[in-house]
């Protein structure tokens, strides 16, 4: 697994370098709707990552945000690649985005890497090996009350989240909407926030962050507290430091999503 981790870090850093270079020089396009953005840099960064992964692990399957599924479908090893998580931020040069790369084996997350190239923060984890921010081990916070917690959420396209955002804002220290699900998860892992939820998220956005939270002592489930199914195209997610998980699920359940898939 060390080889997978080293390869993922190399790929994330190569992509991160390009992303920083191109911050002031990108071409913005839309995927379908006017607010679902993609840039030429998302595509170029993804090409760099895929080239490195495919060279090192030609037998693996890959699911990447911009190019979809590729590689060997007959294997139980699948990479989840998001070249820029926080594309809308990147498109506006709002400096909060990251590269996210995870590896699953037989449906279990084994390794995750999330690189924020602006802050030079590399979050990473291997199953059973703890979670790390650069060279320091990280842990979730010890806050055990929802009303003492800082949360985050996201508004993926076609999800209706305003009611939950409003409700949770009123009963916590606040709810941030920073625009990068992968970084939202990593912020829980290192104790900056306590919880996060989102409707209709995709596996490439959260694969790495899920393992990083779990290895930092936190918890990630669906809205009912059950194990997530990362093979579902889109799914609802709740993540936390573990201590506020039930309280968060209960508060969200008061406002059950009208659309879950
Ligand atoms: C998005 C970000 C955002 C979340 C959206 C995602 P993208 O990913 O993670 O925080 O709310 O659901 O689609 O499009 O920037 O890669
Ligand atoms: Ca993305």
């Amino acid at each position: 697994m060390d080889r997978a981790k080293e390869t993922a870090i190399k790929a994330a850093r190569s992509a991160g370098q390009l992303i920083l270079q191109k911050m002031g020089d990108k071409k913005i396009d839309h995927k379908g709707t006017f607010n679902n953005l993609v840039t030429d840099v998302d595509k170029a960064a993804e090409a760099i990552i895929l080239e490195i992964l495919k060279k090192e692990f030609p037998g693996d399957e890959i699911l990447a945000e911009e190019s979809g599924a590729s590689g060997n479908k007959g294997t139980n090893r699948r990479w989840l690649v998001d070249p820029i998580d926080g594309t809308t931020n990147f498109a506006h040069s709002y400096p909060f985005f990251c590269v996210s790369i995870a590896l699953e084996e037989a449906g279990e997350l084994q390794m995750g890497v999330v690189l924020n190239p602006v802050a030079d923060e590399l979050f990473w984890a291997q199953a059973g090996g703890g979670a790390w921010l650069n060279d320091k081990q990280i842990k979730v916070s010890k806050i055990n009350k929802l009303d003492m917690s800082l949360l985050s959420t996201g508004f993926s396209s076609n999800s209706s989240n305003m009611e939950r955002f409003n409700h949770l804002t009123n009963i916590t220290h606040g709810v941030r909407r920073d625009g990068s699900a992968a970084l939202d998860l990593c912020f829980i892992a290192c104790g900056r926030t306590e919880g996060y939820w989102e409707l209709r998220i995709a596996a490439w956005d959260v694969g790495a962050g899920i393992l990083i939270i779990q290895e930092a002592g936190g918890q990630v489930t669906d809205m009912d507290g059950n194990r997530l199914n990362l093979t579902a195209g889109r799914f609802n997610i709740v993540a936390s430091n573990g201590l506020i998980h039930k309280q968060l699920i209960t508060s969200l359940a008061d406002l059950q999503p009208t659309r879950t898939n």
Side-chain angles (χ1 to χ4, degrees):
M1 196 46 59
D2 278 355
R3 189 159 74 94
K5 181 194 92 185
E6 295 311 328
T7 306
I9 290 174
K10 181 179 164 191
R13 286 208 186 280
S14 304
Q17 212 174 356
L18 175 85
I19 292 165
L20 285 184
Q21 271 167 14
K22 294 281 184 181
M23 187 115 131
D25 172 29
K26 66 240 161 190
K27 291 184 189 64
I28 303 169
D29 206 343
H30 305 91
K31 294 190 273 192
T33 54
F34 79 99
N35 59 354
N36 191 4
L37 304 186
V38 64
T39 73
D40 57 334
V41 184
D42 292 66
K43 292 174 187 167
E46 184 165 301
I48 288 175
I49 296 167
L50 264 52
E51 189 185 339
I52 292 172
L53 296 183
K54 285 181 176 177
K55 188 168 172 220
E56 199 65 32
F57 299 104
D60 291 357
E61 185 182 355
I62 299 177
L63 178 65
E65 173 161 20
E66 309 308 340
S67 56
S70 65
N72 176 12
K73 297 233 164 51
T75 172
N76 66 359
R77 280 168 56 99
R78 183 171 77 139
W79 293 84
L80 301 168
V81 175
D82 194 342
I84 302 182
D85 186 53
T87 296
T88 302
N89 287 343
F90 175 73
H92 288 268
S93 300
Y94 181 99
F96 196 81
F97 46 79
C98 64
V99 181
S100 176
I101 303 175
L103 175 64
E104 283 182 318
E105 228 172 302
E108 301 289 337
L109 288 162
Q110 295 298 333
M111 187 281 312
V113 163
V114 172
L115 174 71
N116 175 342
V118 175
D120 194 21
E121 289 192 327
L122 178 77
F123 298 88
W124 58 276
Q126 287 173 285
W132 301 77
L133 167 48
N134 295 331
D135 56 359
K136 289 206 171 64
Q137 188 159 12
I138 51 174
K139 298 269 183 215
V140 294
S141 83
K142 293 192 168 64
I143 290 172
N144 60 7
K145 291 195 169 71
L146 191 59
D147 61 6
M148 303 284 282
S149 296
L150 181 63
L151 307 180
S152 64
T153 189
F155 292 77
S156 62
S157 31
N158 293 325
S159 75
S160 149
N161 197 25
M162 258 345 246
E163 256 193 289
R164 280 165 212 85
F165 184 70
N166 196 26
H167 178 54
L168 271 296
T169 297
N170 287 328
I171 60 170
T172 63
H173 280 183
V175 182
R176 298 288 173 261
R177 190 277 171 99
D178 280 330
S180 166
L183 287 176
D184 289 337
L185 295 176
C186 290
F187 276 27
I188 297 174
C190 67
R192 293 173 184 163
T193 56
E194 280 64 52
Y196 156 86
W197 82 94
E198 186 157 350
L199 313 177
R200 296 182 43 74
I201 199 78
W204 52 73
D205 294 311
V206 293
I210 290 171
L211 184 66
I212 292 167
I213 288 195
Q214 288 169 338
E215 287 294 325
Q219 197 177 350
V220 186
T221 66
D222 67 12
M223 291 266 173
D224 299 316
N226 299 319
R227 186 189 153 98
L228 279 180
N229 175 10
L230 292 191
T231 57
R234 294 266 166 187
F235 46 86
N236 300 337
I237 182 171
V238 183
S240 78
N241 64 358
L243 302 172
I244 62 148
H245 206 81
K246 274 198 186 128
Q247 297 166 65
L248 179 53
I249 284 190
T250 305
S251 299
L252 289 166
D254 297 340
L255 301 157
Q256 270 299 331
T258 44
R259 179 172 174 185
T260 55
N261 272 302

